[in-house]
Amino acid sequence: MLEVRSLRKEFGDFVAVDDVTFSLPEQGSLAIVGESGSGKTTTARMIAGLETPSGGTVAVAGAERGPGRPRPRARRARGRRIHMVFQDPYSSLDRHQRVGDAVAEAVALHQDLPAAGRRARVAELLDLVGLDERQARSLPKALSGGQRQRVAIARALAAQPRVLILDEAIAALDVSIQAQILALLARIRADTGTALLFITHDLGAVRHISDDVLVMRAGRVVEHGPVASVLDAPEDPYTRRLIDSIPKPGWKPRRRGEKAA
């Protein structure tokens, strides 16, 4: 359903992404992992249309994105194919706009509904992400980080996208909230059929959200396959180093001045 072929991005003489190719089936879930600077976020931004590729193609349901800056109608159509949720939901929300109004604005942008239908759709989206009427009447500052991320997800789903890209969408959340958001995304995937493209450096989360994983280093794909195969029996030394860097049960940071055992 999502087909990425030979994607490349150059910033002057620097090649940030080089020959990235993968596919994501309908209702599938793929994680792209790697350290900072690996090219994973640049790849996601090109797929979402926020960066222009230097080469390669991106197609959703057979529709390939055209060159140049799209017109407003084309941008709305693209939003109905691919939408992106970022790490910091607070920066993507109007701090003076109530949550329900923010979601209603997204619904109005993508669906031509009468007022009653728009209100019903807003209530449906908020219920889907686990928010109630009280929270709908709140400003973003009155919500927790996890609740704000739920609002960002509801706004993205207002477009009814075929693919939802989540760029480090749980990185800034507490561990317990991360688990709630991962469970929410799994439910959304099952209920709506939306495919998930999960950009993360957290390999621990990958097992809970993805069918497949693609490992990037210095802009290139070094390993790609089913999550269990890649994480349990990695073939590339870089993938093994990433896995070895995951804190083990019982791990705790060493205090300053404390010697290793």
Side-chain angles (χ1 to χ4, degrees):
M1 193 258 293
L2 171 64
E3 297 288 340
V4 176
R5 292 288 174 263
S6 303
L7 206 58
R8 182 179 176 89
K9 181 63 178 178
E10 301 167 0
F11 294 101
D13 295 332
F14 175 66
V15 179
V17 175
D18 187 12
D19 195 27
V20 170
T21 295
F22 65 86
S23 60
L24 176 62
E26 189 167 359
Q27 206 172 0
S29 182
L30 170 70
I32 301 181
V33 304
E35 297 171 314
S36 296
S38 63
K40 60 186 187 296
T41 290
T42 301
T43 298
R45 289 178 63 84
M46 286 190 287
I47 294 169
L50 302 177
E51 294 279 359
T52 302
S54 303
T57 61
V58 175
V60 182
E64 186 175 320
R65 183 178 305 125
R69 184 177 179 84
R71 294 179 180 275
R73 181 178 296 178
R75 285 200 300 271
R76 287 194 294 272
R78 185 179 65 200
R80 289 189 287 271
R81 294 192 293 268
I82 293 184
H83 226 81
M84 194 164 178
V85 176
F86 299 93
Q87 178 176 344
D88 181 8
Y90 200 45
S91 64
S92 66
L93 299 173
D94 184 338
R95 301 180 185 188
H96 305 291
Q97 186 179 42
R98 298 184 187 279
V99 163
D101 293 337
V103 177
E105 185 178 72
V107 170
L109 179 63
H110 295 287
Q111 293 182 270
D112 184 15
L113 295 172
R118 190 161 57 247
R119 287 193 297 271
R121 179 60 177 155
V122 169
E124 178 185 15
L125 287 166
L126 291 175
D127 181 65
L128 181 64
V129 299
L131 297 175
D132 58 27
E133 291 184 7
R134 179 180 60 82
Q135 290 151 346
R137 295 191 298 269
S138 300
L139 294 174
K141 66 181 181 181
L143 303 183
S144 68
Q147 288 170 335
R148 288 195 289 265
Q149 195 61 283
R150 290 169 186 263
V151 176
I153 293 170
R155 280 171 54 87
L157 291 174
Q160 297 178 303
R162 305 288 297 276
V163 179
L164 186 61
I165 303 175
L166 300 119
D167 185 14
E168 299 285 7
I170 63 170
L173 305 177
D174 292 338
V175 173
S176 60
I177 305 301
Q178 288 182 5
Q180 293 176 19
I181 296 297
L182 289 174
L184 166 66
L185 292 169
R187 181 163 59 85
I188 287 171
R189 177 187 170 197
D191 290 349
T192 68
T194 302
L196 302 179
L197 183 61
F198 202 65
I199 312 300
T200 184
H201 66 278
D202 185 353
L203 292 181
V206 168
R207 291 185 186 273
H208 299 286
I209 196 64
S210 299
D211 303 324
D212 297 288
V213 59
L214 182 148
V215 184
M216 292 187 67
R217 182 189 186 194
R220 296 187 64 88
V221 176
V222 298
E223 197 155 357
H224 181 198
V227 167
S229 298
V230 172
L231 298 189
D232 293 340
E235 296 180 358
D236 191 87
Y238 175 72
T239 307
R240 289 197 289 271
R241 289 199 300 273
L242 284 180
I243 294 170
D244 289 342
S245 70
I246 301 174
K248 305 299 187 290
W251 176 89
K252 62 179 180 179
R254 191 184 307 169
R255 296 174 182 173
R256 182 176 296 178
E258 182 180 0
K259 295 182 179 179

